[in-house]
Every structure is written in structure tokens, then in C-alpha cells.
Amino acid sequence: MPPTQAESVIRNIIREIGQECAAHGEIVSETLVAFMVKAVVLDPSNGFNIDRTLIKSDVQKLVKLCVSRLLDSKNPSLDTIKMQVYFDMNYTSREEFLREHHRVLMSRLDSLVREITDNRACAREELESLYRKVVSYVLLHSGLGSPTDIKIVREATAALQSVFPQAELGTFLTLSKKDKECQLKELSMLVTGIRLFNRDRGKGGEGIDNLPAILHQAIPATTQHIDSQLHIAQDLAYRYTAILEKVTKNPLMSIELQPYMLKEALYNVRQYEIFLQIILSDIITCAQEVEMMTKQLGAQLEQLKMTVNSKTAVPTSQVFPIFIALSNLWNSLQDETVLISVLSNLTAHLERFLGAHELLFPEKVIQDLLNEVTVKTDVCRIKEHMEDKVLRVDFRKQEWLFPETIANFDKLLIQYRGFCPYTFATADGLLLPGNPAIGILKHKEKYYTFSTREAAYLFAENPENYIDLIREKAKKKAELIQLLELHQQFETLIPYSQMKYVDKHYIKPITKCETSTQTDTHILPPTIVRSYEWNEWELRRKAIQLANLRQKVTHSVQTDLSHMRRENCSQVYPSKDTSTQSMREGSTGVPRPQIYIAGLRGCQTKATCGVKVNLTRAVDET
């Protein structure tokens, strides 16, 4: 059958099963139906052959079996599968969650960013509208208040005007689209830093929650709730384990307890315990991050106070980096708040998958079964066999490791989540914690721990036999595939909850052991030079002795390059002052004008009559 046709058939089967369950009042997801189809096909008791094409009767049988199992509401096995599917669909790693959270936040701002970057405002009203949109973007991007609150908008506008006046919108509009987006993000971080600083000084901070105080209250409350749920799950697991141990010693009790499905209930609480431990580990990581960021936030605010220090003007190069650092720290605190909320909701939703325990196992029934039985915790079981270690001399062809001889023990992936494989295979699926102190068997680059030394010895005699037994049991109980991390043995996808442990498959143990080496003091034959002398003055004394100056005569010779040549002198003529005449001086004389007027003193007549007489000589007469 072609792959496309096979996928179409599978989709039709899943759709038909979902419709059948809906007709009976049970709404199931396609993911749960697909998992159940796989579980029914893997179970050899159902008689399906994976290598043979399904005929119509096989499809009808498959649908009937899946529907019957999905409608069995009092089966702990179904609750475990639902829990696994729900956790797989809703849990992701910390890094991936934060990446997806940031992507969703930015996608909500895409339309507003597009309106700002594509704006071609020219008129005054258009520029004012654009500026208001920038303020809205700053508020939405920072998450510090609603853009519909007048007080918050005024405070954000005042902070924005201090770093980006409305007069600079003209320059902003000339930028490219990418530069506009970068500047918007930078403005948002600067305004966020300014508002946080004003809030710390008691001069603003409208609509800003006290995230450090909220987280310091939420994290302990969430941790306490998870611890209490973890304690309840572990208490149930210890009691169920004690009863099942009693059953293994008394086979007649297994017939009486078969209707109670005690083993399936044990798988259910163990899976719940594992999920709670994963969530608790993330909560502890959040607590550590919050503690570190709170200290950094206080340090940045203190540094900013010292930088400003009541100054009227401060260089932007000094305060802008601190504002941006404050914004980044506050955004990280917001991320931790969302992550804590998601993990809390996930924990609350997992509790509903434990509802069948109170119905199937009332307290009176449990107390009767625990009569004359000692309930042991996992820690007590491990302490009982701390000194029963495997002797390496008993196994020449197999490698045994111990926690004290492995530097990266915490990074090794122990098979079956650390449960004893021998006990599970031989005690009808009983889950007992393995004790690494007894010894860790390395078989085909995989590592196994055991509850007792006898179990370790028996498993080491024929590991493949017990591994095959566990695989066959997992086919009958599909919830064991994820519970015991058997994904590599079945053609299934690894769930998100297992993704961060995938790298452990390739980590090799770094063994540690005490070693010592011995070498001779002098490997080569001695080559001591007796005439060697380190004292410089002793060497000078020996040199004088070798020179024998009493029988030597001092000679001298002079060469062209000698420094002791005779003194020479040379005579030169000093320079003297001289003058030269380039041209002679000459002059010319012209006649001086001589003009007289006669008759100015009067005449014999009454009327004055002047006579002008020119006595100037001609030029040629001179």
C-alpha cells in the first residue's frame, strides 16, 4: 500500500473511532486515538500483523477494541495513557517555551508595527497620530500597563518624549523599514527602563506590578503544592509496591487482586511522580533564575542612582545602556512569571488523571492488604543494599561501573528510568528502584541498575533474554513505552518530555580510579661534568691564570679605523659682506612756473586793472 493511501486509511480509522466515542458521550483527541490505535496493534494478544495489510474485518475489530478501551473510564491504564498524551502535548522545554512565547507576543504586534513603519505622514495631525501609535507600541511591547489607561499613556508619553521628541518623527520616517523596527524596539526598552527607574524612586510606575515580590510568593507556593502532590503519589506507589511484593510471594493472592488492577495503578502513580519531578525541576530552575535576576535588577538600579545623583543632565552614553539592561531584566522576570503560571496549570490538570484510585482502592481495602506488610520507601530500599556491591572479578567479559568511579554519573541515561530490569521481567512487571551503588552494568553501550546484587548477577548472565521479556510486556501495556523510556525499541516518536534527555544516549562515562606510577630517579647514566663552574668570579680568576700576563708585552697599532688617530685641523675663509649696484640714480629739472599779476596795488585810474604776466621759461631753455 502506498504511503499516501496508508495515511488516508489511518486518518479514516482515527476519525471513525473518535465519532464512535463521541456517540457514547466521550470526547477524545485525535492524538489519544492515534496512541490507542498503536497500542492495540502492538498488543500480540489482539492478533494484528503489522506486516500484513489490514482488511475490512481487521479495521472493524481495531475500531471496536479501541473504542472499548477508550470508554473504560475505571481503568488506571487508560488514565496513564491520557496523562502521557496530555503531558506530551502541553509540556515543552524551557528554551522552546520561551522562544514560542516571544514569537506569539511579537506576532500580536505585527499589525501595529506595520502601521507605524508603512506610515507616510506629512500633516501635523497625521504626525500626532503616528506618535500616539508609537506610544501604544511601547506599552504593548513592554507589557507595563494598558494603552487605554490615560495615566499610563501620559507617563509613557513623557518618558518617550525625553528620548524621542515628536520633532524627530521626520527623521524616523526617512529610515528603512528594518531600521524603523530596530529603533522601535530600542525606544521601547529605553522607555521601560526610564519608567522602572521612576517607579523605584517613587515618581511614577503607574500600572507596573512588583514582579520580584509576586514571584517570591508564587514560587514557594507552587513548590509546596507540587511537593505535597509528589508526597501523595510516592506514598501510594510505596503502598502499592509493598502489596505487589506480598503477592509475588503468595501467588494465590494474585487471583483475588486481579479485579483491582493494582499493577496498572502502580504504573499510573509512578508516571505521575515522574511528571511531577520534571515540573519541580523546572520550578527550581525558575527560582534560581529569579533570584539571580532580582540581584542584578537591584544592582542596575543602584548604579543608575549613582550615575544620575540629582544631576540636571547626564550623557546618554552612560544611562541608555543601564535603561536597556533594566528592560531586559524585567522582560526576563515577565517570562519567568508566565512559565511559573503554565507549570502550575499543568500540575493542576495532571491531578485529574488520578481519580480512579479512590474508586478502585478504598482506604479500607488498602489497609486490609497491608496487614503484616512493611511499607518501604525508595530511599530505604536503596540503603538496605548499599554494601552489597558487585565484584568485578566475577565478570571478566562485562564492564561494571560505580558512581564513585564515574565523573559524569548524573548525565548517564540509566535504562528503564532506573528501575530494576530483572525484577520487572521476573516479578510480573513489579517496579523496584535500582541501586547504582550495587553496580551499573554496561551492556551494548547501555546502562542498567538493579535492586539487589542477586538480581544484578542473574541479569548479567543473559541480558538479552530479560530485555526481550520487558519488550513483550511493554507491547501488552502500552503505557510502559513512555514510563520506561522504551521509545528506541518501538517505532514511535519521542515525546517532548524526553527530548532534553536524547543527548544522554551518546554520553560516555568518564571513569575515575586511583592509579600510581613509579620511575627511577635517573633513567640515563650519570653525566656529571666535574670541571663545570657556575661562579662568574671564579671563571674570571681562571681566565687570568690562563692568560699569564707576567710574560706578555703590550703592543699598539694604528689603522684607518682606529679611534686613537692624531688631531687634524683645516682652514677656511670666513664669509664677508658685499654689495652690488644694479642701476644709477638720475634726475631731471623742469622750469618752475613764474606768473605775475601787475596792477593789484592800484593804478592811476579809479578802476583796478590787473595785467597777468607769464615769466615761466620754456623747457628747451633749461
Side-chain angles (χ1 to χ4, degrees):
M1 182 181 297
T4 55
Q5 185 177 356
E7 292 178 2
S8 176
V9 172
I10 293 173
R11 283 196 298 268
N12 292 333
I13 294 174
I14 293 174
R15 190 181 305 110
E16 184 177 353
I17 295 173
Q19 293 173 354
E20 288 286 338
C21 292
H24 289 81
E26 184 71 21
I27 305 300
V28 293
S29 63
E30 291 187 358
T31 307
L32 177 60
V33 175
F35 190 92
M36 189 57 68
V37 169
K38 179 175 57 181
V40 171
V41 173
L42 285 176
D43 191 349
S45 61
N46 294 326
F48 290 100
N49 188 355
I50 302 177
D51 299 329
R52 182 173 60 85
T53 304
L54 295 177
I55 59 178
K56 186 176 181 179
S57 60
D58 294 334
V59 174
Q60 294 176 350
K61 179 182 177 181
L62 177 61
V63 172
K64 183 178 179 180
L65 290 173
C66 290
V67 171
S68 63
R69 292 190 62 176
L70 288 171
L71 296 178
D72 190 3
S73 59
K74 296 183 179 180
N75 190 347
S77 178
L78 178 62
D79 288 337
T80 305
I81 293 176
K82 287 182 178 180
M83 185 195 308
Q84 293 171 347
V85 172
Y86 178 82
F87 192 82
D88 182 24
M89 297 298 296
N90 292 275
Y91 177 81
T92 182
S93 64
R94 173 188 175 87
E95 294 77 12
E96 187 174 350
F97 169 78
L98 295 178
R99 192 184 310 115
E100 180 65 18
H101 176 62
H102 293 161
R103 188 194 65 80
V104 172
L105 290 180
M106 295 308 299
S107 64
R108 295 175 181 175
L109 296 175
D110 284 344
S111 58
L112 182 58
V113 172
R114 197 178 303 111
E115 291 180 10
I116 296 174
T117 55
D118 295 344
N119 199 299
R120 296 293 183 268
C122 296
R124 180 178 179 180
E125 293 79 6
E126 294 176 347
L127 291 175
E128 292 178 353
S129 176
L130 176 61
Y131 198 78
R132 287 194 295 269
K133 290 180 181 179
V134 174
V135 175
S136 299
Y137 171 84
V138 168
L139 289 174
L140 293 174
H141 184 267
S142 63
L144 302 181
S146 172
T148 59
D149 193 323
I150 300 299
K151 293 182 179 179
I152 297 175
V153 171
R154 287 177 179 174
E155 181 182 339
T157 304
L160 181 62
Q161 287 178 347
S162 64
V163 295
F164 183 71
Q166 187 173 345
E168 295 186 7
L169 279 177
T171 306
F172 176 79
L173 292 173
T174 60
L175 300 176
S176 63
K177 184 179 180 64
K178 186 176 181 180
D179 292 339
K180 289 179 182 178
E181 293 176 355
C182 293
Q183 187 167 357
L184 284 175
K185 292 180 181 178
E186 185 178 356
L187 290 174
S188 176
M189 290 189 289
L190 291 174
V191 172
T192 302
I194 293 172
R195 294 186 63 198
L196 291 173
F197 178 64
N198 292 337
R199 173 185 173 275
D200 184 68
R201 299 182 65 184
K203 297 182 179 180
E206 187 72 26
I208 301 177
D209 298 326
N210 190 357
L211 288 185
I214 294 174
L215 288 170
H216 283 307
Q217 293 178 359
I219 291 177
T222 306
T223 305
Q224 184 178 0
H225 175 68
I226 295 177
D227 283 335
S228 63
Q229 291 298 117
L230 190 59
H231 179 73
I232 293 172
Q234 289 175 342
D235 184 60
L236 286 174
Y238 301 153
R239 298 166 79 180
Y240 293 161
T241 303
I243 296 172
L244 288 173
E245 276 188 310
K246 182 180 178 180
V247 172
T248 56
K249 298 176 182 178
N250 188 4
L252 296 178
M253 290 184 61
S254 61
I255 301 175
E256 300 177 1
L257 292 177
Q258 187 173 3
Y260 291 103
M261 294 180 287
L262 193 62
K263 186 169 51 181
E264 290 79 0
L266 175 61
Y267 299 157
N268 181 264
V269 293
R270 283 295 189 183
Q271 185 66 81
Y272 181 65
E273 175 191 359
I274 291 169
F275 287 158
L276 287 182
Q277 289 174 346
I278 294 174
I279 296 174
L280 184 60
S281 175
D282 288 347
I283 294 290
I284 293 174
T285 303
C286 289
Q288 295 172 350
E289 292 291 329
V290 168
E291 188 70 24
M292 179 185 65
M293 287 185 290
T294 303
K295 293 180 180 179
Q296 293 179 356
L297 184 67
Q300 292 290 345
L301 288 172
E302 189 65 28
Q303 181 182 357
L304 191 56
K305 289 180 183 178
M306 298 182 63
T307 303
V308 176
N309 198 16
S310 301
K311 296 178 182 178
T312 57
V314 182
T316 58
S317 59
Q318 295 182 11
V319 294
F320 276 16
I322 303 179
F323 287 148
I324 293 175
L326 286 175
S327 175
N328 292 331
L329 288 171
W330 197 262
N331 290 336
S332 299
L333 289 174
Q334 290 175 330
D335 293 340
E336 298 300 329
T337 305
V338 176
L339 185 57
I340 291 292
S341 175
V342 170
L343 294 175
S344 300
N345 293 334
L346 183 60
T347 304
H349 282 85
L350 288 178
E351 295 177 12
R352 59 190 176 94
F353 298 110
L354 298 177
H357 291 273
E358 297 180 357
L359 299 175
L360 295 176
F361 311 106
E363 186 64 23
K364 185 178 182 303
V365 175
I366 294 295
Q367 292 299 333
D368 293 340
L369 294 174
L370 289 175
N371 188 21
E372 299 180 358
V373 175
T374 302
V375 178
K376 301 178 182 179
T377 64
D378 290 347
V379 177
C380 292
R381 294 180 184 275
I382 291 175
K383 288 183 178 180
E384 286 180 351
H385 304 280
M386 287 295 292
E387 303 300 329
D388 299 338
K389 294 188 177 182
V390 173
L391 301 178
R392 294 185 179 182
V393 294
D394 297 337
F395 299 92
R396 299 293 185 183
K397 296 183 180 180
Q398 290 175 326
E399 183 177 358
W400 289 87
L401 307 173
F402 297 91
E404 60 271 14
T405 63
I406 304 175
N408 57 341
F409 171 72
D410 57 333
K411 296 183 180 180
L412 291 183
L413 179 63
I414 306 298
Q415 294 298 303
Y416 310 123
R417 286 194 188 273
F419 292 111
C420 177
Y422 175 81
T423 306
F424 183 84
T426 57
D428 196 22
L430 177 62
L431 294 177
L432 290 182
N435 188 356
I438 295 175
I440 305 171
L441 175 63
K442 181 180 179 182
H443 175 69
K444 292 185 177 180
E445 301 302 325
K446 295 181 180 180
Y447 308 95
Y448 304 86
T449 57
F450 308 93
S451 57
T452 61
R453 183 168 63 179
E454 292 76 16
Y457 275 63
L458 292 173
F459 183 88
E461 291 178 359
N462 190 2
E464 292 298 329
N465 178 38
Y466 297 103
I467 293 174
D468 293 338
L469 290 175
I470 295 173
R471 186 186 300 112
E472 293 301 319
K473 290 182 181 294
K475 290 181 180 179
K476 298 178 182 180
K477 302 288 183 181
E479 64 269 22
L480 292 174
I481 296 176
Q482 183 166 345
L483 176 61
L484 300 181
E485 295 181 319
L486 302 176
H487 303 93
Q488 290 189 344
Q489 300 182 23
F490 297 90
E491 294 182 358
T492 59
L493 295 177
I494 300 177
Y496 286 119
S497 58
Q498 309 293 331
M499 288 302 294
K500 62 181 180 180
Y501 302 112
V502 172
D503 295 339
K504 291 187 177 181
H505 292 280
Y506 307 101
I507 296 178
K508 295 184 178 180
I510 303 174
T511 56
K512 299 184 297 182
C513 59
E514 295 183 359
T515 60
S516 61
T517 57
Q518 183 177 1
T519 59
D520 295 333
T521 305
H522 298 288
I523 301 177
L524 299 176
T527 55
I528 301 175
V529 181
R530 302 295 180 181
S531 60
Y532 173 75
E533 183 60 54
W534 62 271
N535 193 339
E536 180 182 357
W537 294 103
E538 182 65 21
L539 293 176
R540 290 174 181 267
R541 187 181 66 81
K542 291 183 177 180
I544 293 174
Q545 291 178 352
L546 293 174
N548 195 9
L549 296 180
R550 292 177 298 175
Q551 300 178 1
K552 299 296 185 290
V553 179
T554 302
H555 296 275
S556 63
V557 66
Q558 182 175 352
T559 63
D560 293 337
L561 300 178
S562 175
H563 293 286
M564 301 180 64
R565 291 177 293 180
R566 65 181 179 84
E567 296 181 356
N568 292 333
C569 60
S570 60
Q571 183 177 1
V572 297
Y573 292 98
S575 58
K576 63 178 181 177
D577 295 335
T578 58
S579 60
T580 58
Q581 185 175 0
S582 58
M583 63 182 205
R584 64 183 181 85
E585 294 182 356
S587 62
T588 58
V590 295
R592 184 171 59 181
Q594 294 180 357
I595 299 175
Y596 295 92
I597 300 176
L600 293 177
R601 296 182 177 180
C603 335
Q604 295 177 359
T605 62
K606 296 180 178 180
T608 301
C609 182
V611 180
K612 183 179 180 181
V613 180
N614 188 359
L615 300 179
T616 303
R617 298 178 65 183
V619 176
D620 53 357
E621 294 180 2
T622 60

